[in-house]
């Protein structure tokens, strides 16, 4: 029963979109398992760049089916816009996109509450897409699901109860204006017909496909260090991007998982607040941002940049069970004389044995670096490992040695053909 999980191994934006699109060539189904439109997955085909937020990155392969699983929180407005954009590229979606009837919906009040909370004292630096508040309602068991959209009476009743409660919160706690119940109801009633052709029991669909030995790629959003359980809490997202999230977020069993590929950027980036041990706030960090085009695919925010951190990566490898690494954006390091790689953390003069996920400790650590020589050559046109400059080969081998995982894919540019299969 062959399913492979694609997981972001750092703080997101590792290049999951590119790798999922690339691997979809030999895949039957690509299925997103968590997160929402906070994700921005970029796929570059020829000279064209597409940014996907909810639709799986396999959509550009016409024989691939795409699933949005129960673990995803769906903003119907964002989804309909995305469907329309993809259709405008002459790509057929009907019969290829399957949306879980159990996925929860993001409502206008979730986005509003997200932005109000971000104005308070505990700023996470969210994407403002309503993710946290939508997952709160899911776990509070008051959430509205895709299936509810299909029944007007149920939708009206649930929306009314939810909005009345949110209005109390908005006016009494946040001193904000109340929402218009009827306006929201009439806006969302319209989605029933639009979404209906895509809605199905995706868990049954995926398990049937597994029985027929179809190949499934489970596409994670965000990254392991943003995981609500295993990341740098509270500076995380509100779901489980780690590989375990693929089973709960799709309803497929752990025994169906054949492989877990970790997407690793050749350096590190982070968007939003929270600890980032190898962050470079100097000219070098600026250079990484500029060369790597490190600006958020969803919000356009500049990404914080730093060297590759093997301590957090090794933690991520263990938590996810990563066996293979797809190393991306290696070309971004082409012009550096020297490249640093963090191999250990110290707190004061004491070395830390493992990656601490409590921010109090993380904020106190100082990274220990190994410095290696750069290759000072353009590598974007290289197709084979042996054709890479020796120092680039050594950098890859060093990552394999420290992590114990195999680098099976090296990405040297955003396009499909800028890839070395090892
Ligand atoms: P995702 O969220 O993990 O899918 O990653 P994003 O799409 O947010 O960010 C990755 C960015 O790097 C996108 O702009 C990609 O087009 C680009 N990219 C992906 N792989 C490579 C690569 O190997 N080299 C370079 N230079 N750019 C890449
Ligand atoms: P992809 O899938 C990078 C970050 C936000 C913020 C935190 C919480 O493109 O890798 P949220 O809106 O989820 O409540 O924000 O998580 N974040 C991401 N960072 N890439 C992403 O997605 C992200 N999605 C959320 O910046 O720090
Ligand atoms: Mg992204």
């Amino acid at each position: 029963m062959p399913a492979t999980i694609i997981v972001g191994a750092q703080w997101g934006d590792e290049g999951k979109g590119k790798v999922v699109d690339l691997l979809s060539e030999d895949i039957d189904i690509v299925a997103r398992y968590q997160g929402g439109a906070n994700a921005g997955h970029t796929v570059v085909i020829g000279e064209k760049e597409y940014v996907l937020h909810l639709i799986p990155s396999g959509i550009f392969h016409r024989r691939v089916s795409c699933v949005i699983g129960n673990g995803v929180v769906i903003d119907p407005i964002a989804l309909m816009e995305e469907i329309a954009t993809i259709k405008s590229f002459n790509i057929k979606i009907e019969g290829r996109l399957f949306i879980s009837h159990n996925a929860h919906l993001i409502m206008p009040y979730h986005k509003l509450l997200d932005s109000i909370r971000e104005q308070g004292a505990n700023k996470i630096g969210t994407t403002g897409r309503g993710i946290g508040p939508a997952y709160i309602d899911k776990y509070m068991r008051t959430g509205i699901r895709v299936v509810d959209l299909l029944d007007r009476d149920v939708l009206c009743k649930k929306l009314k109860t939810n909005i009345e409660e949110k209005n109390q919160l908005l006016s009494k706690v946040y001193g904000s204006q109340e929402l218009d119940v009827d306006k929201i109801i009439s806006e969302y009633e319209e989605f029933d017909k639009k979404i209906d052709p895509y809605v199905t029991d995706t868990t049954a669909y995926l398990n049937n496909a597994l029985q027929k030995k179809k190949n499934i790629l489970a596409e994670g959003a965000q990254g392991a260090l943003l995981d609500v359980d295993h990341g740098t809490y509270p500076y995380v997202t509100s779901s489980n991007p780690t590989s375990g999230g693929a089973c709960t977020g799709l309803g497929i069993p752990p025994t169906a998982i054949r492989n877990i590929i970790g997407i690793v950027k050749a350096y590190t980036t982070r968007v939003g607040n929270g600890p980032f041990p190898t962050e470079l706030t100097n000219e070098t960090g600026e250079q990484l941002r500029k060369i790597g085009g490190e600006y958020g695919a969803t919000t356009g925010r500049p990404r914080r940049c730093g060297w590759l951190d093997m301590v957090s990566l090794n933690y991520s490898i263990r938590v996810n069970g990563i066996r293979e690494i797809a190393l991306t954006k290696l070309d971004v390091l082409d012009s550096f004389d020297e490249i640093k790689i963090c191999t250990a953390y110290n707190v004061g003069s004491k070395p830390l044995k493992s990656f601490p996920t409590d921010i109090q400790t993380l904020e106190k650590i100082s990274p220990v670096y190994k410095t290696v020589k750069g290759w000072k050559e353009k590598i974007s046109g290289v197709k084979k490992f042996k054709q890479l400059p020796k120092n680039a080969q050594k950098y890859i081998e060093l990552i394999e040695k420290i992590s114990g995982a195999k680098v099976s894919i090296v990405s040297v540019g955003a396009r499909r053909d800028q890839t070395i299969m090892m």
Side-chain angles (χ1 to χ4, degrees):
M1 296 211 286
T4 294
I5 303 173
I6 302 293
V7 61
Q10 295 153 311
W11 276 288
D13 302 325
E14 298 90 349
K16 296 176 290 294
K18 163 168 174 170
V19 177
V20 170
D21 168 68
L22 190 78
L23 296 181
S24 296
E25 184 76 43
D26 305 314
I27 285 292
D28 300 300
I29 303 168
V30 180
R32 251 291 285 281
Y33 59 86
Q34 45 67 236
N38 48 349
H41 295 178
T42 315
V43 176
V44 177
I45 303 170
E47 299 306 312
K48 266 199 163 161
E49 182 182 278
Y50 307 89
V51 180
L52 298 162
H53 302 286
L54 283 161
I55 295 180
S57 305
I59 199 74
F60 301 106
H61 294 263
R62 287 163 204 268
R63 46 164 294 280
V64 169
S65 296
C66 290
V67 167
I68 300 179
N70 56 279
V72 177
V73 281
I74 299 175
D75 177 350
I77 300 175
L79 178 67
M80 289 308 153
E81 274 174 18
E82 205 165 316
I83 289 175
T85 309
I86 291 180
K87 278 185 176 170
S88 75
F89 301 132
N90 257 337
I91 291 166
K92 188 175 165 278
I93 295 214
E94 276 91 4
R96 293 183 56 215
L97 178 65
F98 302 92
I99 299 173
S100 168
H101 61 318
N102 283 341
H104 280 247
L105 296 176
I106 296 199
M107 291 293 171
Y109 45 81
H110 293 134
K111 289 186 257 187
L112 183 63
L113 286 168
D114 192 359
S115 79
I116 291 176
R117 290 244 174 96
E118 283 292 293
Q119 287 156 30
N122 301 317
K123 288 186 181 58
I124 304 293
T126 71
T127 58
R129 298 299 189 266
I131 305 298
Y135 279 113
I136 289 176
D137 282 0
K138 171 173 174 172
Y139 287 96
M140 190 69 98
R141 292 154 295 175
T142 55
I144 299 178
R145 303 196 291 180
V146 167
V147 65
D148 301 325
L149 268 183
L150 308 181
D151 184 325
R152 283 191 181 205
D153 292 338
V154 174
L155 179 69
C156 285
K157 202 166 148 231
K158 288 197 174 179
L159 263 177
K160 250 198 179 117
T161 317
N162 267 285
I163 297 171
E164 276 162 11
E165 190 209 331
K166 298 297 186 275
N167 275 342
Q168 296 281 319
L169 189 64
L170 285 168
S171 63
K172 298 204 172 122
V173 178
Y174 296 120
S176 163
Q177 223 181 345
E178 294 193 6
L179 295 159
D180 185 335
V181 183
D182 295 328
K183 187 166 168 273
I184 297 178
I185 288 177
S186 68
E187 260 173 36
Y188 279 75
E189 270 179 347
E190 297 219 341
F191 286 115
D192 68 343
K193 281 199 194 68
K194 291 185 185 158
I195 210 165
D196 190 40
Y198 307 106
V199 179
T200 192
D201 178 346
T202 52
T203 296
Y205 175 75
L206 289 169
N207 281 292
N208 279 337
L210 283 169
Q211 262 182 352
K212 290 182 191 146
K213 306 269 184 264
K214 301 250 185 209
N215 289 312
I216 297 174
L217 212 53
E219 177 178 4
Q222 291 81 50
L225 301 173
L226 285 170
D227 187 284
V228 68
D229 285 284
H230 304 290
T232 49
Y233 191 89
Y235 299 101
V236 292
T237 191
S238 298
S239 64
N240 290 118
T242 45
S243 54
C247 292
T248 50
L250 296 174
I252 57 171
T255 45
I257 310 303
R258 174 183 56 184
N259 194 11
I260 298 155
I261 303 177
I263 315 300
V264 178
K265 204 180 274 193
Y267 46 99
T268 312
T269 60
R270 175 166 200 167
V271 205
N273 303 337
F276 180 177
T278 62
E279 181 171 17
L280 295 163
T281 50
N282 56 11
E283 183 55 34
T284 311
E286 193 57 49
Q287 241 179 306
L288 282 172
R289 185 176 308 115
K290 205 168 148 212
I291 304 169
E294 296 296 353
Y295 295 89
T298 296
T299 59
R301 291 179 290 176
R303 295 175 182 150
R304 299 156 66 192
C305 297
W307 296 120
L308 183 60
D309 178 353
M310 293 307 296
V311 182
S312 60
L313 182 59
N314 279 347
Y315 164 76
S316 174
I317 284 172
R318 241 173 298 134
V319 170
N320 286 300
I322 291 168
R323 294 197 207 124
E324 284 181 35
I325 287 174
L327 187 68
T328 62
K329 304 192 89 160
L330 189 65
D331 56 297
V332 174
L333 302 178
D334 281 357
S335 59
F336 289 84
D337 293 325
E338 285 185 335
I339 296 161
K340 289 188 181 185
I341 183 162
C342 169
T343 54
Y345 290 169
N346 279 344
V347 174
S349 57
K350 280 197 184 144
L352 271 187
K353 283 211 173 69
S354 55
F355 180 74
T357 48
D358 66 293
I359 52 160
Q360 289 80 356
T361 311
L362 264 173
E363 273 160 0
K364 276 190 270 180
I365 67 110
S366 45
V368 179
Y369 288 107
K370 180 178 171 68
T371 303
V372 297
K373 280 212 157 60
W375 43 92
K376 309 279 284 175
E377 233 178 273
K378 280 198 165 43
I379 60 168
S380 277
V382 174
K383 306 278 182 230
K384 292 202 171 101
F385 178 75
K386 289 279 175 234
Q387 290 163 358
L388 281 170
K390 274 279 166 298
N391 286 346
Q393 292 186 17
K394 280 188 191 161
Y395 187 66
I396 296 166
E397 284 163 354
L398 182 61
I399 293 168
E400 286 188 321
K401 189 170 165 229
I402 301 175
S403 69
K406 169 102 191 74
V407 174
S408 58
I409 297 171
V410 179
S411 175
V412 292
R415 291 200 320 260
R416 286 171 174 171
D417 62 345
Q418 293 174 313
T419 311
I420 302 168
M421 302 305 273
M422 307 272 279

